Amino acid sequence: MLSLNSIGGTEEIFWWCRIRGTVITTLWWKIVIVLLYTFILLCIHTFVGKLDFQHTLIPILGVVVGLLLGFRTNSAYDRYWEGRKLWTNMTQDVRKLTRCIWSGVEEPNQQAIIEKKSALNLLLAFVIATKHYLREEYSDEYDDLKQLISHLPRFKTPSSNLPLPPETGVEADNEKNETRQWRPFKLKAYDHSTPTNIPIEISYYILSYIKHVSKGNLAPAWAISTMQSSLSNLVDTLSNFERILRTPIPMAYSIHLHISVWLYILSLPFQIIGTTGWWTLAVLGLGSFCLLGILSVAYEIENPFGYDENDLPLDDFCRVMALEIDMILGSRILTAEEWIYAESNKPFAPTSMSTPSTLLQKSKEELLEILVKTKTSHQLLTQTEPNEKLETSTRDKPKAD
């Protein structure tokens, strides 16, 4: 996905913001065809005979094409935005599981630490496997995934992304793969002709860890319940991802929309050629760029999980999740007693700068008195700030002569 943060310098922004990430590179040849077509009509109109007709077709086709393009664009962007929301939901559930596993599961021995780290590796593997699954990359041999799940047995769970091929075998699988030119490389998952659902398989092992923790009484009931709920949400999110992939825009609607747009563009010269003359080339060039550009944009964003510039940056999302898990693993979560009774904690500041060890020597009544003073000082502070702003604005106001 293209962002201004990845571009440096005014000159680069001036150039790349107009070319990279747009549909110009895939649209220019269509505009050239429209211009050649218009040029031929202009030559016929100028040197052979008049081609201008009555202005009755433009409003009719314009309304129809406008409605169809509006629906097409909204449908495509809804799919794009829903994909982003679903990825956010998955991130939230992975964070919940990470928090419960690392902070809620006890560590009676070194074995528990190994188990927790292995479970967190599977959480990261679920995110990365989902990324590849959404891109219809069904292998476990990718560099960012292989080390995380190479020790797991393989179930060859059938994928819901694609229907089962009518023929099995390597040849049928290769023919099916040839239609997806955007894949960086093609690998058959587990040497099996049917695509497999690796994220679902990973969820089985995450559930087995939760059962292990529950059986060993290594975590409280609320943590077990949260982990089970979050894992169920992950599977639900994966199913919703599949719904986006397996529910494309109906082919009949797409074909009809393309025909309608091209009919409008090809008929437009006959409506304006008598009044605009050779300026018809400019009008048709701009019009075709706008209409065909909307079609191309809608086609590109209806599947937001690929490698196009405007697709969701799934690789970046996975790297951020890996960094978050690494940050958690690199630090020990303090117990409540450790951070509450730390000497650097000043719970009643700014009224009292005493540390918890000093405050424990006071009576309950003295602590309540300090608490009341702290509340009063906060109220005075909130009342003073508006008065100070009023005085400043009064001083800045010029005096009348």
Side-chain angles (χ1 to χ4, degrees):
M1 183 176 183
L2 179 64
S3 64
L4 291 179
N5 294 329
S6 62
I7 305 174
T10 305
E11 296 180 356
E12 290 182 329
I13 294 178
F14 181 82
W15 174 253
W16 286 106
C17 284
R18 287 157 176 79
I19 300 298
R20 184 184 174 192
T22 67
V23 294
I24 296 177
T25 55
T26 60
L27 192 64
W28 65 268
W29 63 273
K30 298 179 183 179
I31 300 176
V32 171
I33 292 177
V34 172
L35 292 178
L36 290 175
Y37 167 78
T38 306
F39 179 77
I40 294 174
L41 292 181
L42 280 169
C43 292
I44 296 174
H45 176 77
T46 304
F47 303 107
V48 179
K50 302 299 182 181
L51 295 178
D52 54 324
F53 300 148
Q54 294 297 325
H55 294 209
T56 56
L57 189 59
I58 290 180
I60 299 175
L61 282 180
V63 172
V64 174
V65 170
L67 292 175
L68 292 175
L69 283 178
F71 178 77
R72 180 70 173 88
T73 305
N74 290 335
S75 301
Y77 187 76
D78 286 344
R79 296 162 60 88
Y80 182 91
W81 183 240
E82 186 179 4
R84 182 64 184 93
K85 290 191 296 184
L86 289 174
W87 193 275
T88 301
N89 294 338
M90 185 176 65
T91 301
Q92 292 174 348
D93 291 320
V94 170
R95 287 171 175 170
K96 290 179 185 178
L97 281 165
T98 302
R99 183 182 68 246
C100 291
I101 292 175
W102 194 247
S103 302
V105 179
E106 300 294 336
E107 301 175 357
N109 48 42
Q110 64 272 27
Q111 181 180 354
I113 298 177
I114 298 174
E115 294 171 353
K116 290 169 66 172
K117 180 61 171 66
S118 300
L120 293 182
N121 287 343
L122 288 187
L123 290 181
L124 179 58
F126 184 92
V127 175
I128 296 175
T130 300
K131 175 192 70 174
H132 291 296
Y133 183 69
L134 295 177
R135 291 173 172 174
E136 298 181 279
E137 300 166 346
Y138 302 106
S139 173
D140 65 335
E141 297 296 328
Y142 294 96
D143 293 336
D144 55 353
L145 182 62
K146 183 176 181 179
Q147 295 298 325
L148 297 174
I149 63 172
S150 59
H151 59 289
L152 299 180
R154 301 165 180 176
F155 294 149
K156 302 182 180 64
T157 305
S159 167
S160 298
N161 265 4
L162 298 172
L164 293 177
E167 299 179 0
T168 58
V170 177
E171 294 183 357
D173 188 64
N174 288 337
E175 292 177 359
K176 178 180 61 179
N177 287 340
E178 290 298 331
T179 61
R180 296 180 175 84
Q181 301 297 331
W182 47 267
R183 292 186 183 180
F185 53 90
K186 294 173 290 187
L187 288 173
K188 296 185 296 296
Y190 312 146
D191 292 330
H192 195 268
S193 60
T194 303
T196 57
N197 197 328
I198 297 179
I200 286 294
E201 297 184 11
I202 294 175
S203 68
Y204 300 153
Y205 296 101
I206 298 176
L207 179 61
S208 69
Y209 173 76
I210 297 175
K211 292 172 59 179
H212 170 72
V213 171
S214 177
K215 184 178 179 181
N217 294 323
L218 298 177
W222 63 265
I224 300 295
S225 177
T226 302
M227 287 189 286
Q228 291 176 341
S229 176
S230 298
L231 181 59
S232 298
N233 292 337
L234 287 178
V235 177
D236 292 341
T237 301
L238 181 65
S239 300
N240 288 326
F241 278 136
E242 292 174 336
R243 173 170 51 84
I244 296 177
L245 289 175
R246 294 280 289 148
T247 313
I249 302 298
M251 182 62 65
Y253 178 82
S254 298
I255 294 176
H256 184 73
L257 177 57
H258 278 77
I259 293 176
S260 299
V261 171
W262 276 104
L263 282 177
Y264 180 75
I265 293 175
L266 297 180
S267 63
L268 187 58
F270 296 98
Q271 310 298 312
I272 64 176
I273 195 171
T275 55
T276 57
W278 289 95
W279 285 102
T280 306
L281 285 171
V283 174
L284 263 293
L286 293 176
S288 61
F289 171 78
C290 294
L291 297 177
L292 296 177
I294 293 175
L295 276 180
S296 299
V297 170
Y299 177 78
E300 183 173 321
I301 67 175
E302 69 177 352
N303 180 10
F305 308 121
Y307 290 94
D308 295 327
E309 292 289 348
N310 294 296
D311 288 336
L312 294 174
L314 302 186
D315 294 316
D316 293 341
F317 294 161
C318 292
R319 282 192 289 267
V320 170
M321 183 56 60
L323 289 175
E324 288 186 8
I325 294 178
D326 288 341
M327 289 293 294
I328 294 176
L329 296 178
S331 59
R332 185 179 68 88
I333 305 300
L334 299 178
T335 62
E337 292 79 6
E338 290 176 327
W339 64 265
I340 290 177
Y341 296 102
E343 291 301 316
S344 58
N345 184 23
K346 307 294 189 301
F348 294 98
T351 304
S352 174
M353 302 302 293
S354 301
T355 61
S357 59
T358 305
L359 294 172
L360 287 175
Q361 300 176 3
K362 299 180 181 296
S363 63
K364 180 180 178 180
E365 290 73 16
E366 291 175 332
L367 292 179
L368 292 176
E369 183 179 354
I370 296 175
L371 185 61
V372 172
K373 292 180 180 179
T374 304
K375 180 180 179 181
T376 304
S377 64
H378 288 166
Q379 292 176 349
L380 292 175
L381 182 61
T382 56
Q383 294 176 0
T384 302
E385 290 180 352
N387 293 333
E388 290 179 351
K389 294 180 179 179
L390 179 61
E391 292 176 0
T392 304
S393 60
T394 304
R395 288 196 303 267
D396 295 340
K397 184 180 299 183
K399 295 182 180 180
D401 295 336

